[in-house]
Amino acid sequence: MSWLGFGISLALLCVIWIVNIVVFSHIEESDSDMFSLYMFLFLVGPFLGLLGFIFSIVGLVQASRNFTPKWMGVCGIIFCCLSVVSFFVPMITAEVIESRAIDVDIPESVLTEDGAVVKDDVILKITRYGDIKCYDNRSGKDSAPVTLSAYSGLKHELSTWMQMKGIDGATATIVIVSGPDTDYSNVVRVIDTLKEMNIKKFRTKTYSK
């Protein structure tokens, strides 16, 4: 019984953390897929957890009566408790992230020093996670930006996106937008990339809450 309880409890704990890792690694993707994973876990988890807990308790009692090692039963109970705590970790983390989230309102145009209105043709918004959201506002506010990564192949991906959009780096107004929680090294990386692409007409903006 101890072996069975130990195995079920450990397997459940591993499944819960695999689901958690998958959810955190795809945090910006469709919420429906993540909801399906957690619904599956919610339906299967309690049954397996209760089964592992019962077998661990029974195995622990048998081990006490037969004077055999009790570590399997104890570990099974501990794994059951950790599974319960692990199940609520994403929910608590999501609440913390949501409470600390900063809404950024990106204007379509700004005022220069002489009072003239300049339209932000291209906006490169750097998120706290190192993603770069590329907005093409030449024909109006872009509601479907392309997301690039600041960590790998940025020059190639950015130049490809600009070519597909027909953006001329020599004439377009490029604005690099960052927030107070943005890693400054990513801002420097984007600026260096633009310079490598021989694009010198750009400016930076920082938004705070």
Side-chain angles (χ1 to χ4, degrees):
M1 286 292 184
S2 296
W3 277 107
L4 194 55
F6 176 83
I8 293 175
S9 302
L10 180 59
L12 177 61
L13 183 62
C14 292
V15 169
I16 290 176
W17 274 106
I18 289 173
V19 172
N20 288 344
I21 292 172
V22 170
V23 170
F24 280 121
S25 61
H26 298 79
I27 196 168
E28 293 185 353
E29 297 185 4
S30 174
D31 292 337
S32 60
D33 297 336
M34 304 300 104
F35 180 75
S36 300
L37 278 175
Y38 274 115
M39 280 302 298
F40 169 77
L41 199 61
F42 181 77
L43 293 174
V44 176
F47 174 75
L48 292 178
L50 182 61
L51 203 62
F53 186 77
I54 292 175
F55 283 144
S56 297
I57 291 291
V58 173
L60 185 60
V61 172
Q62 290 179 347
S64 299
R65 290 178 178 176
N66 300 328
F67 300 100
T68 54
K70 305 175 185 177
W71 66 268
M72 284 182 293
V74 174
C75 289
I77 296 174
I78 293 174
F79 288 154
C80 287
C81 297
L82 289 176
S83 298
V84 174
V85 175
S86 301
F87 183 79
F88 292 100
V89 166
M91 302 178 188
I92 298 173
T93 305
E95 290 292 333
V96 173
I97 292 176
E98 184 178 357
S99 64
R100 297 181 59 186
I102 298 176
D103 295 328
V104 177
D105 184 19
I106 301 178
E108 295 183 47
S109 61
V110 295
L111 289 175
T112 60
E113 294 180 356
D114 56 1
V117 177
V118 179
K119 185 177 179 63
D120 293 346
D121 292 337
V122 179
I123 293 178
L124 305 179
K125 177 187 172 185
I126 308 174
T127 68
R128 73 174 76 178
Y129 305 108
D131 294 328
I132 302 173
K133 295 185 179 296
C134 304
Y135 296 82
D136 179 14
N137 293 331
R138 293 174 301 165
S139 300
K141 191 171 183 179
D142 189 355
S143 58
V146 172
T147 302
L148 307 179
S149 174
Y151 299 109
S152 61
L154 177 59
K155 180 180 178 180
H156 173 71
E157 293 181 357
L158 184 58
S159 61
T160 301
W161 176 75
M162 293 180 66
Q163 289 176 4
M164 292 179 61
K165 291 289 186 177
I167 299 173
D168 186 359
T171 58
T173 303
I174 299 178
V175 181
I176 303 171
V177 177
S178 60
D181 55 353
T182 301
D183 189 345
Y184 186 72
S185 63
N186 291 330
V187 178
V188 175
R189 189 175 289 110
V190 173
I191 293 175
D192 290 341
T193 300
L194 292 177
K195 290 180 178 179
E196 290 176 5
M197 296 169 60
N198 294 322
I199 299 176
K200 297 183 173 61
K201 186 181 178 182
F202 60 86
R203 62 181 183 275
T204 62
K205 289 182 184 180
T206 301
Y207 287 85
S208 59
K209 190 172 181 180

